[in-house]
Amino acid sequence: MSSRRSFLRNAALGVAAATVSPVVSSAGYAVKAGPAKFPVGMAGYTFAKFDLDKAIAMMKRVGIQFISVKDIHLPLNSGPEKIKEVLDKFAAAEIKVYAVGVIYMKSEKAVDEAFEYAKRVGVPLIVGVPNPELLDYTEKKVKEYNIRIAIHNHGPEDKLYPGPKNVYDLIRNRDARMGICLDIGHAMRAGEEPGKAIREYKDRIFDLHIKDVTEASNKGKATEIGRGVINFAGLVKAMQKAKFAGVASIEFEKDMNDPLPGIAESAGFFRGVIASVE
C-alpha cells in the first residue's frame, strides 16, 4: 500500500503542476506541463449512461483533456450542425476529440459509414472493429481517406479479436496505418501481459484503453486502476521504451451509473505511476 500512496501523492503534485503553460507531447498533442510523459485521455464508452454535458463535467473534474468520442454522444449519422455543436462543447471545455469509436463494422457499408463519419468529424483515427473478412476492404478505405484505424481487442469472450496478437497477426503485413487499440484489461484477461504486448507490437499500437482487472482470466472483472493485477509500472516502462506516441485513454467500466469516484482514483493512480517511473 505504501507504493500506492506514493503514486497517488505524486499524482496530486502533478495536478498542482498542471496549471503552468502548455507543452507539446511526443504525440504532437498540446498538454499542460507537469510530470505526465504521455497524454491521458478518456474512452467515450465510460460515459455511456450520461449525456454529453455531464460527461464533459466529469472530465473537467479530473482534468482530462482528450477523448475518443463514442457514437452515444456523437451519432454516426450526424450532420455538420450536430458535429459542430458537439465539437464546440468539447473545445469550450479545452477537451480535444482525438479519435472516434469504438465503431463496429460488419459490412462494407458500415466501413464506408465509419470512414465518412471520421472525415466529417475531422479526426485522424478510428478505433474500430471491422470483421476480419472486411480487412481488405478496410485497408482500401485507409488508403483512400488517409485515416488510421486502431482495431480494438475485446477479451476471451470475443470471437474476432480476443487479444492484441489476434489483431497483429492479421494486419502485420498490411498498410502501416492499420494498427491496434490495445485494451490492456481485455488483453490481460485473454492471457497477454500488456507491457509485453506493447513491446512486441509497438509499431502498430496506435491507441491504449487503460483499465485494471481483478484477475488474469475470463473471470476477471473491471476494477479501479491500481487495485487489480496489471503491472502499471511495467506498462509505463514499456510505453517509454516503445516511444508510444498516442493517447492512453482510461476506460472505466465499473460502477458505470456513478463512475466519477472510480475515474478520479484511476486517473490519480495512473498519473502517479507515470510520474514515478524513470
Side-chain angles (χ1 to χ4, degrees):
M1 291 299 291
S2 61
S3 62
R4 182 178 180 80
R5 286 194 294 270
S6 175
F7 289 149
L8 292 173
R9 182 175 62 251
N10 285 335
L13 292 172
V15 170
T19 58
V20 297
S21 60
V23 297
V24 177
S25 77
S26 62
Y29 299 108
V31 294
K32 291 180 180 178
K37 304 175 182 74
F38 305 101
V40 176
M42 292 295 307
Y45 179 69
T46 300
F47 305 115
K49 303 201 173 185
F50 296 88
D51 64 26
L52 179 63
D53 292 337
K54 290 178 181 176
I56 288 173
M58 282 187 270
M59 289 184 67
K60 291 190 72 173
R61 288 285 300 274
V62 295
I64 290 177
Q65 299 173 271
F66 304 93
I67 189 166
S68 175
V69 71
K70 192 82 172 71
D71 54 3
I72 300 161
H73 298 117
L74 184 56
L76 286 168
N77 62 356
S78 295
E81 291 184 2
K82 180 64 175 180
I83 291 170
K84 185 179 186 303
E85 174 191 339
V86 170
L87 294 184
D88 283 352
K89 284 188 175 185
F90 280 120
E94 299 184 321
I95 295 169
K96 178 179 177 62
V97 177
Y98 75 92
V100 292
V102 177
I103 301 174
Y104 297 89
M105 306 170 212
K106 298 182 179 181
S107 66
E108 290 186 359
K109 181 182 178 183
V111 175
D112 290 341
E113 289 173 346
F115 279 86
E116 273 297 316
Y117 172 67
K119 180 181 177 180
R120 293 197 308 275
V121 178
V123 293
L125 178 66
I126 297 169
V127 179
V129 184
N131 279 15
E133 67 271 17
L134 294 169
L135 289 177
D136 286 345
Y137 189 75
T138 301
E139 184 173 21
K140 177 182 175 182
K141 292 299 173 180
V142 165
K143 294 175 180 179
E144 179 183 336
Y145 285 82
N146 190 27
I147 293 174
R148 297 194 302 167
I149 185 165
I151 300 175
H152 189 292
N153 62 285
H154 272 108
E157 302 86 0
D158 181 11
K159 295 180 180 179
L160 301 181
Y161 308 108
K165 186 177 188 303
N166 302 100
V167 180
Y168 183 75
D169 286 347
L170 291 172
I171 64 167
R172 60 189 302 174
N173 296 318
R174 293 183 180 274
D175 190 283
R177 290 164 288 189
M178 298 181 73
I180 302 168
C181 172
L182 173 59
D183 185 304
I184 68 171
H186 288 319
M188 196 75 179
R189 293 175 56 248
E192 289 194 67
E193 198 279 314
K196 182 180 178 183
I198 288 176
R199 292 191 297 273
E200 291 187 349
Y201 318 131
K202 61 182 180 179
D203 293 336
R204 296 286 182 152
I205 304 288
F206 296 166
D207 196 37
L208 293 173
H209 279 186
I210 302 296
K211 61 184 66 167
D212 209 347
V213 291
T214 55
E215 61 179 273
S217 76
N218 61 356
K219 296 179 181 178
K221 304 296 183 183
T223 190
E224 292 84 357
I225 292 174
R227 295 194 185 204
V229 297
I230 292 178
N231 176 2
F232 280 91
L235 177 80
V236 171
K237 287 178 182 177
M239 291 165 65
Q240 290 176 339
K241 188 172 182 179
K243 297 181 180 179
F244 175 68
V247 177
S249 283
I250 294 170
E251 186 172 42
F252 191 72
E253 297 175 308
K254 179 186 176 185
D255 302 326
M256 292 186 74
N257 288 315
D258 183 24
L260 183 58
I263 294 170
E265 180 179 337
S266 295
F269 183 83
F270 186 48
R271 285 168 169 157
V273 175
I274 292 171
S276 299
V277 171
E278 297 298 331

Tab-separated table of all heavy atoms in Angstrom, residues 110-141:
chain	number	residue	atom	x	y	z
A	110	ALA	N	-20.948	-0.481	-43.530
A	110	ALA	CA	-20.562	0.017	-42.205
A	110	ALA	C	-19.142	0.586	-42.220
A	110	ALA	O	-18.853	1.584	-41.548
A	110	ALA	CB	-20.665	-1.099	-41.174
A	111	VAL	N	-18.253	-0.024	-42.995
A	111	VAL	CA	-16.898	0.514	-43.147
A	111	VAL	C	-16.958	1.884	-43.816
A	111	VAL	O	-16.320	2.843	-43.356
A	111	VAL	CB	-16.007	-0.452	-43.952
A	111	VAL	CG1	-14.626	0.175	-44.199
A	111	VAL	CG2	-15.856	-1.786	-43.230
A	112	ASP	N	-17.728	1.983	-44.884
A	112	ASP	CA	-17.901	3.261	-45.579
A	112	ASP	C	-18.411	4.333	-44.612
A	112	ASP	O	-17.892	5.461	-44.580
A	112	ASP	CB	-18.897	3.122	-46.732
A	112	ASP	CG	-18.361	2.292	-47.889
A	112	ASP	OD1	-17.126	2.114	-47.982
A	112	ASP	OD2	-19.188	1.814	-48.701
A	113	GLU	N	-19.414	3.975	-43.828
A	113	GLU	CA	-20.020	4.938	-42.908
A	113	GLU	C	-19.017	5.393	-41.850
A	113	GLU	O	-18.977	6.573	-41.483
A	113	GLU	CB	-21.243	4.313	-42.234
A	113	GLU	CG	-22.433	4.141	-43.179
A	113	GLU	CD	-23.577	3.375	-42.538
A	113	GLU	OE1	-23.360	2.749	-41.467
A	113	GLU	OE2	-24.682	3.390	-43.117
A	114	ALA	N	-18.177	4.470	-41.371
A	114	ALA	CA	-17.198	4.810	-40.340
A	114	ALA	C	-16.167	5.812	-40.859
A	114	ALA	O	-15.831	6.798	-40.175
A	114	ALA	CB	-16.501	3.545	-39.845
A	115	PHE	N	-15.672	5.584	-42.063
A	115	PHE	CA	-14.660	6.483	-42.603
A	115	PHE	C	-15.252	7.837	-42.991
A	115	PHE	O	-14.604	8.883	-42.782
A	115	PHE	CB	-13.933	5.821	-43.775
A	115	PHE	CG	-12.850	4.876	-43.331
A	115	PHE	CD1	-13.138	3.556	-43.030
A	115	PHE	CD2	-11.543	5.318	-43.179
A	115	PHE	CE1	-12.146	2.677	-42.600
A	115	PHE	CE2	-10.538	4.453	-42.745
A	115	PHE	CZ	-10.836	3.133	-42.458
A	116	GLU	N	-16.465	7.840	-43.506
A	116	GLU	CA	-17.119	9.109	-43.813
A	116	GLU	C	-17.376	9.906	-42.531
A	116	GLU	O	-17.216	11.133	-42.500
A	116	GLU	CB	-18.431	8.858	-44.559
A	116	GLU	CG	-18.268	8.743	-46.061
A	116	GLU	CD	-17.755	10.023	-46.702
A	116	GLU	OE1	-18.232	11.119	-46.352
A	116	GLU	OE2	-16.843	9.935	-47.554
A	117	TYR	N	-17.780	9.218	-41.506
A	117	TYR	CA	-18.028	9.835	-40.190
A	117	TYR	C	-16.745	10.460	-39.643
A	117	TYR	O	-16.739	11.626	-39.230
A	117	TYR	CB	-18.556	8.749	-39.263
A	117	TYR	CG	-18.709	9.074	-37.802
A	117	TYR	CD1	-19.644	10.007	-37.350
A	117	TYR	CD2	-17.951	8.391	-36.852
A	117	TYR	CE1	-19.811	10.255	-35.995
A	117	TYR	CE2	-18.117	8.612	-35.494
A	117	TYR	CZ	-19.039	9.556	-35.070
A	117	TYR	OH	-19.197	9.789	-33.725
A	118	ALA	N	-15.646	9.699	-39.656
A	118	ALA	CA	-14.374	10.221	-39.157
A	118	ALA	C	-13.930	11.442	-39.959
A	118	ALA	O	-13.412	12.421	-39.397
A	118	ALA	CB	-13.311	9.137	-39.206
A	119	LYS	N	-14.151	11.406	-41.269
A	119	LYS	CA	-13.794	12.545	-42.115
A	119	LYS	C	-14.616	13.776	-41.741
A	119	LYS	O	-14.074	14.893	-41.635
A	119	LYS	CB	-14.016	12.181	-43.584
A	119	LYS	CG	-13.685	13.303	-44.556
A	119	LYS	CD	-13.956	12.865	-45.982
A	119	LYS	CE	-13.705	14.011	-46.965
A	119	LYS	NZ	-13.976	13.591	-48.369
A	120	ARG	N	-15.927	13.596	-41.531
A	120	ARG	CA	-16.779	14.732	-41.169
A	120	ARG	C	-16.393	15.308	-39.808
A	120	ARG	O	-16.414	16.523	-39.611
A	120	ARG	CB	-18.260	14.310	-41.148
A	120	ARG	CG	-18.834	13.958	-42.494
A	120	ARG	CD	-20.363	13.951	-42.467
A	120	ARG	NE	-20.933	13.141	-41.415
A	120	ARG	CZ	-21.152	11.833	-41.501
A	120	ARG	NH1	-20.835	11.177	-42.614
A	120	ARG	NH2	-21.696	11.164	-40.500
A	121	VAL	N	-16.053	14.423	-38.869
A	121	VAL	CA	-15.669	14.886	-37.532
A	121	VAL	C	-14.292	15.549	-37.571
A	121	VAL	O	-13.979	16.418	-36.753
A	121	VAL	CB	-15.709	13.718	-36.522
A	121	VAL	CG1	-15.257	14.165	-35.132
A	121	VAL	CG2	-17.129	13.140	-36.437
A	122	GLY	N	-13.450	15.132	-38.519
A	122	GLY	CA	-12.140	15.746	-38.669
A	122	GLY	C	-11.063	15.138	-37.797
A	122	GLY	O	-10.125	15.826	-37.372
A	123	VAL	N	-11.171	13.821	-37.538
A	123	VAL	CA	-10.164	13.142	-36.716
A	123	VAL	C	-9.299	12.242	-37.591
A	123	VAL	O	-9.753	11.740	-38.621
A	123	VAL	CB	-10.819	12.318	-35.585
A	123	VAL	CG1	-11.497	13.232	-34.582
A	123	VAL	CG2	-11.797	11.296	-36.149
A	124	PRO	N	-8.054	11.979	-37.157
A	124	PRO	CA	-7.146	11.155	-37.953
A	124	PRO	C	-7.175	9.681	-37.590
A	124	PRO	O	-6.412	8.896	-38.166
A	124	PRO	CB	-5.775	11.745	-37.617
A	124	PRO	CG	-5.915	12.184	-36.189
A	124	PRO	CD	-7.340	12.665	-36.051
A	125	LEU	N	-8.049	9.295	-36.636
A	125	LEU	CA	-8.009	7.927	-36.122
A	125	LEU	C	-9.410	7.400	-35.841
A	125	LEU	O	-10.224	8.097	-35.215
A	125	LEU	CB	-7.185	7.879	-34.824
A	125	LEU	CG	-7.065	6.529	-34.114
A	125	LEU	CD1	-6.274	5.537	-34.958
A	125	LEU	CD2	-6.418	6.694	-32.742
A	126	ILE	N	-9.665	6.174	-36.290
A	126	ILE	CA	-10.874	5.428	-35.933
A	126	ILE	C	-10.468	4.286	-35.017
A	126	ILE	O	-9.555	3.519	-35.339
A	126	ILE	CB	-11.561	4.835	-37.182
A	126	ILE	CG1	-12.038	5.931	-38.127
A	126	ILE	CG2	-12.727	3.931	-36.780
A	126	ILE	CD1	-12.488	5.406	-39.487
A	127	VAL	N	-11.115	4.180	-33.880
A	127	VAL	CA	-10.996	2.977	-33.050
A	127	VAL	C	-12.166	2.099	-33.449
A	127	VAL	O	-13.330	2.482	-33.286
A	127	VAL	CB	-11.037	3.317	-31.552
A	127	VAL	CG1	-10.927	2.046	-30.716
A	127	VAL	CG2	-9.913	4.289	-31.192
A	128	GLY	N	-11.860	0.946	-34.027
A	128	GLY	CA	-12.936	0.169	-34.616
A	128	GLY	C	-12.749	-1.322	-34.554
A	128	GLY	O	-11.690	-1.822	-34.145
A	129	VAL	N	-13.798	-2.019	-34.969
A	129	VAL	CA	-13.786	-3.483	-35.019
A	129	VAL	C	-14.403	-3.921	-36.351
A	129	VAL	O	-15.572	-4.290	-36.423
A	129	VAL	CB	-14.556	-4.104	-33.836
A	129	VAL	CG1	-14.438	-5.631	-33.875
A	129	VAL	CG2	-14.039	-3.576	-32.507
A	130	PRO	N	-13.606	-3.869	-37.426
A	130	PRO	CA	-14.098	-4.431	-38.681
A	130	PRO	C	-13.993	-5.959	-38.636
A	130	PRO	O	-12.982	-6.493	-38.168
A	130	PRO	CB	-13.143	-3.849	-39.723
A	130	PRO	CG	-11.884	-3.572	-38.972
A	130	PRO	CD	-12.279	-3.272	-37.564
A	131	ASN	N	-14.998	-6.655	-39.095
A	131	ASN	CA	-14.893	-8.107	-39.164
A	131	ASN	C	-13.664	-8.503	-39.996
A	131	ASN	O	-13.319	-7.811	-40.957
A	131	ASN	CB	-16.152	-8.700	-39.794
A	131	ASN	CG	-17.287	-8.825	-38.803
A	131	ASN	OD1	-17.261	-8.230	-37.726
A	131	ASN	ND2	-18.306	-9.591	-39.167
A	132	PRO	N	-13.000	-9.594	-39.632
A	132	PRO	CA	-11.769	-9.979	-40.349
A	132	PRO	C	-11.935	-10.092	-41.858
A	132	PRO	O	-11.018	-9.733	-42.609
A	132	PRO	CB	-11.412	-11.335	-39.712
A	132	PRO	CG	-11.964	-11.254	-38.327
A	132	PRO	CD	-13.241	-10.473	-38.460
A	133	GLU	N	-13.093	-10.567	-42.317
A	133	GLU	CA	-13.291	-10.698	-43.757
A	133	GLU	C	-13.399	-9.349	-44.459
A	133	GLU	O	-13.362	-9.267	-45.699
A	133	GLU	CB	-14.545	-11.531	-44.055
A	133	GLU	CG	-15.859	-10.897	-43.657
A	133	GLU	CD	-16.293	-11.213	-42.223
A	133	GLU	OE1	-15.437	-11.656	-41.431
A	133	GLU	OE2	-17.484	-11.007	-41.927
A	134	LEU	N	-13.483	-8.269	-43.683
A	134	LEU	CA	-13.572	-6.925	-44.248
A	134	LEU	C	-12.237	-6.186	-44.219
A	134	LEU	O	-12.173	-5.007	-44.588
A	134	LEU	CB	-14.610	-6.105	-43.479
A	134	LEU	CG	-16.062	-6.566	-43.603
A	134	LEU	CD1	-16.942	-5.841	-42.599
A	134	LEU	CD2	-16.582	-6.347	-45.025
A	135	LEU	N	-11.167	-6.839	-43.809
A	135	LEU	CA	-9.891	-6.141	-43.670
A	135	LEU	C	-9.326	-5.669	-45.008
A	135	LEU	O	-8.710	-4.606	-45.085
A	135	LEU	CB	-8.885	-7.015	-42.921
A	135	LEU	CG	-9.179	-7.201	-41.426
A	135	LEU	CD1	-8.162	-8.135	-40.796
A	135	LEU	CD2	-9.207	-5.856	-40.688
A	136	ASP	N	-9.518	-6.447	-46.054
A	136	ASP	CA	-9.066	-5.985	-47.372
A	136	ASP	C	-9.788	-4.702	-47.759
A	136	ASP	O	-9.166	-3.736	-48.230
A	136	ASP	CB	-9.321	-7.056	-48.441
A	136	ASP	CG	-8.367	-8.231	-48.352
A	136	ASP	OD1	-7.328	-8.104	-47.665
A	136	ASP	OD2	-8.658	-9.276	-48.971
A	137	TYR	N	-11.089	-4.684	-47.542
A	137	TYR	CA	-11.879	-3.505	-47.881
A	137	TYR	C	-11.519	-2.329	-46.962
A	137	TYR	O	-11.416	-1.177	-47.410
A	137	TYR	CB	-13.365	-3.817	-47.770
A	137	TYR	CG	-14.254	-2.733	-48.309
A	137	TYR	CD1	-14.401	-2.549	-49.685
A	137	TYR	CD2	-14.945	-1.875	-47.461
A	137	TYR	CE1	-15.211	-1.544	-50.197
A	137	TYR	CE2	-15.757	-0.871	-47.957
A	137	TYR	CZ	-15.882	-0.709	-49.322
A	137	TYR	OH	-16.685	0.301	-49.824
A	138	THR	N	-11.290	-2.626	-45.669
A	138	THR	CA	-10.898	-1.584	-44.717
A	138	THR	C	-9.555	-0.974	-45.104
A	138	THR	O	-9.372	0.251	-45.045
A	138	THR	CB	-10.827	-2.175	-43.293
A	138	THR	OG1	-12.100	-2.717	-42.938
A	138	THR	CG2	-10.441	-1.111	-42.281
A	139	GLU	N	-8.627	-1.814	-45.518
A	139	GLU	CA	-7.316	-1.315	-45.950
A	139	GLU	C	-7.463	-0.365	-47.151
A	139	GLU	O	-6.791	0.667	-47.239
A	139	GLU	CB	-6.406	-2.484	-46.308
A	139	GLU	CG	-4.993	-2.069	-46.666
A	139	GLU	CD	-4.076	-3.264	-46.857
A	139	GLU	OE1	-4.589	-4.383	-47.101
A	139	GLU	OE2	-2.845	-3.082	-46.762
A	140	LYS	N	-8.339	-0.712	-48.053
A	140	LYS	CA	-8.612	0.146	-49.209
A	140	LYS	C	-9.093	1.522	-48.747
A	140	LYS	O	-8.665	2.564	-49.278
A	140	LYS	CB	-9.663	-0.521	-50.100
A	140	LYS	CG	-10.094	0.294	-51.299
A	140	LYS	CD	-11.182	-0.445	-52.087
A	140	LYS	CE	-11.716	0.420	-53.232
A	140	LYS	NZ	-12.814	-0.275	-53.971
A	141	LYS	N	-9.960	1.548	-47.739
A	141	LYS	CA	-10.501	2.815	-47.234
A	141	LYS	C	-9.444	3.608	-46.464
A	141	LYS	O	-9.424	4.848	-46.505
A	141	LYS	CB	-11.729	2.561	-46.359
A	141	LYS	CG	-12.918	2.028	-47.154
A	141	LYS	CD	-13.351	3.026	-48.213
A	141	LYS	CE	-14.419	2.464	-49.133
A	141	LYS	NZ	-14.841	3.444	-50.160
